[in-house]
Amino acid sequence: MRKTIVAGNWKMNASKESVNSLIKGILSGMSDVSSDVIVCAPFPYLSQVESLIINSDLMLGAQNLNVNLKGAFTGEVSADMIKDFGAQHVIVGHSERRSLYGETSTVVAEKTKAAIDAGLTPLLCVGESLEERESGRTEAVVAEQLNAVISLLGIDAFDGIIIAYEPVWAIGTGLTASPEQAQSVHLFIRKLLADSSERVAQKTPILYGGSMNAGNAADLISCADIDGGLIGGAALKADDFLQICKAG
Ligand code: PEP
C-alpha cells in the first residue's frame, strides 16, 4: 500500500513574513492530516523553514540542485548544501526548468543521480506539452523522460524516487487533467516501470501536478495509480494546501 504524498512547490514566491505565516498555518492543521507532506521552498528560505518545522511531521524540500558536489559554479547550490538545511527532498525536471533553463532529460537524470547520491529523495517531474498531447505523443514524451533516468541509474534507483506526472498544459493554467486523463498516464508510467521491475512499479509513488486544488484533489487522488499531488499555486495558502493534504 502506497502512502499519499502531498508536496507544495512554492516556486519563486516567498518572503520571510509569508513563509512564517504559511508554515505556521500549515502546522496548525497538521494533526488531521494522514498524508506525508513536503514543502519545497526557494533556497534562501530553507533555513527559516527548517527552524519552523522542528519537531513536526512536515518535511522540507528544495526546488533545484546543481549536479556537481562543490567548486567554481557561481550562483549554484549543491545537494549537500540542501541537506545541510534539513531538506530530505528536491524537485528535479520541473517543466519550468526544462523549458526556461534548457534542462534536457540527460541533465535531469544527472541531477536525479546527484540528489540520490547525497541521500535526498528526488521528486522527478515528467509531462507533455499541449502540442505533444494533441499530436498523440504523451506516452512517448513521458517514456523518454523516464527512460533517461532508468538508463543512467537503473530501475532500482526508483526505490528512492518520487515521480510527479505534470502535464505542462495544466501547470499554472487552471486547466486540470481530468481524473481519467491523469489516471491513464499514471497507469502508463507504472507499466513502464513494471517492464523493468514489478516490485518497483508497485512501490513507486506517482503524484499528479497541474492546477490541483481543494476542489479537485479528492477526485484525482482517489484514482488507483495517483498517489498524491505536487501543488503550485494552491500551496501558497495554508487553508487550501491543508484541504488538499486532507483529501488523500
Ligand atoms: C507545479 O508548478 O508543479 C504546479 C503543479 O503548479 P500549479 O499547481 O500552480 O499548476
Side-chain angles (χ1 to χ4, degrees), residues 9 11 94 166 170-172 209-211 230-233:
N9 172 16
K11 311 193 188 193
H94 191 280
E166 297 208 305
I171 296 177
S211 299
L230 178 55
I231 322 297

Side-chain angles (χ1 to χ4, degrees), residues 26-44:
I26 296 170
L27 289 176
S28 71
M30 282 291 285
S31 55
D32 302 333
V33 171
S34 54
S35 310
D36 282 350
V37 184
I38 307 159
V39 288
C40 297
F43 293 135

Side-chain angles (χ1 to χ4, degrees), residues 114-125:
I116 291 175
D117 287 350
L120 292 169
T121 300
L123 283 150
L124 168 63
C125 301

Side-chain angles (χ1 to χ4, degrees), residues 159-240:
D159 277 331
I161 293 176
I162 298 169
I163 296 173
Y165 167 59
E166 297 208 305
V168 179
W169 49 272
I171 296 177
T173 58
L175 288 175
T176 315
S178 67
E180 295 73 25
Q181 283 173 319
Q183 165 59 24
S184 152
V185 182
H186 281 236
L187 180 60
F188 169 76
I189 292 170
R190 212 172 291 290
K191 284 183 176 162
L192 185 143
L193 298 177
D195 287 344
S196 301
S197 165
E198 182 63 34
R199 181 192 64 79
V200 169
Q202 291 312 321
K203 202 175 150 213
T204 301
I206 309 175
L207 315 186
Y208 168 80
S211 299
M212 192 186 266
N213 58 42
N216 59 31
D219 283 346
L220 286 156
I221 296 175
S222 65
C223 293
D225 291 289
I226 302 183
D227 304 315
L230 178 55
I231 322 297
L236 296 171
K237 290 190 185 143
D239 287 349
D240 290 1

